[in-house]
């Protein structure tokens, strides 16, 4: 799975990369520090998932997504932002983003979002929805690592671009 982290803050990129590297998945992670670099990176590396900050130098993340949606329809977008502004959220929804995460990003929330995004990709790839139970026997949410391992087990026997 190819993931792009586009954020102008090096510490944010490092933190997200660190969280993603803890997941039990084979991930190819690339980074961009500006909207312009993000556009170049997407054109050359074609990521499956892009984690995008809204406010970046060169071009803001929402404008970049809008421009790229016509040539990179398969990419799943996740917004990272310090702004809970309704207009940003509304524009992101119109652009078809999967989720809108506020900074500082909660590691569990990021993992749940990545897992959900992978489910969306799997469903689109195979035309079906993977059978992943989000709750344990007590009705409590499962640990995200457990969910991702379960996802890996489900897709391991099938030809899948996810793992």
């Amino acid at each position: 799975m190819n993931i792009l982290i586009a954020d102008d803050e090096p510490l944010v990129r490092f933190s997200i990369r660190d969280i993603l590297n803890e997941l039990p998945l084979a991930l190819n992670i690339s980074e961009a520090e500006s909207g312009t670099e993000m556009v170049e990176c997407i054109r050359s590396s074609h990521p499956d998932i892009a984690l995008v900050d809204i406010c970046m130098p060169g071009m803001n993340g929402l404008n970049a997504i809008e421009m790229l949606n016509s040539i990179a329809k398969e990419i799943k977008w996740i917004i990272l932002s310090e702004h809970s502004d309704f207009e940003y959220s509304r524009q992101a929804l119109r652009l078809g983003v999967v989720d809108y995460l506020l900074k500082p990003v909660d590691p569990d929330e990021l993992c749940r979002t990545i897992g959900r995004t992978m489910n969306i990709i799997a469903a689109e790839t195979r035309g079906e929805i993977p059978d992943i139970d989000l709750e344990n026997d007590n009705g409590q949410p499962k640990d995200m690592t457990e969910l991702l391992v379960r996802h890996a087990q489900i897709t391991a026997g099938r030809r899948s671009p996810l793992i």
Side-chain angles (χ1 to χ4, degrees), residues 16-27:
I16 291 172
R17 178 184 280 277
D18 195 44
I19 293 166
L20 294 175
N21 281 331
E22 293 295 318
L23 297 175
L25 301 168
L27 300 175

Side-chain angles (χ1 to χ4, degrees), residues 13 21 48 56 68 73 83 88 92 104 124 130 153 161:
R13 291 193 314 272
N21 281 331
D48 302 295
M56 292 187 289
L68 290 163
K73 294 177 182 168
H83 307 283
Y88 282 146
E124 290 175 355
Q153 291 169 343

Side-chain angles (χ1 to χ4, degrees), residues 99-119:
D99 209 339
Y100 191 107
L101 303 177
L102 292 176
K103 294 180 194 176
V105 175
D106 176 79
D108 289 334
E109 185 178 14
L110 175 61
C111 290
R112 281 190 298 274
T113 299
I114 293 295
R116 191 165 55 85
T117 305
M118 290 173 63
N119 283 338

Side-chain angles (χ1 to χ4, degrees), residues 20 27 34-35 59 76 80 82-83 92 107 121 127 133 135:
L20 294 175
L27 300 175
S34 70
M59 177 185 304
K76 301 303 174 213
L80 306 172
E82 293 175 344
H83 307 283
I121 293 169
D133 185 12
E135 297 178 347

Side-chain angles (χ1 to χ4, degrees), residues 125-162:
T125 301
R126 292 190 306 267
E128 62 186 54
I129 298 173
D131 180 24
I132 296 180
D133 185 12
L134 299 177
E135 297 178 347
N136 63 23
D137 294 335
N138 300 328
Q140 299 295 318
K142 287 184 179 177
D143 177 67
M144 196 59 217
T145 302
E146 181 182 348
L147 289 175
L148 289 168
V149 168
R150 175 75 176 118
H151 183 274
Q153 291 169 343
I154 290 170
T155 58
R158 304 175 187 163
R159 186 164 179 81
S160 172
L162 300 180

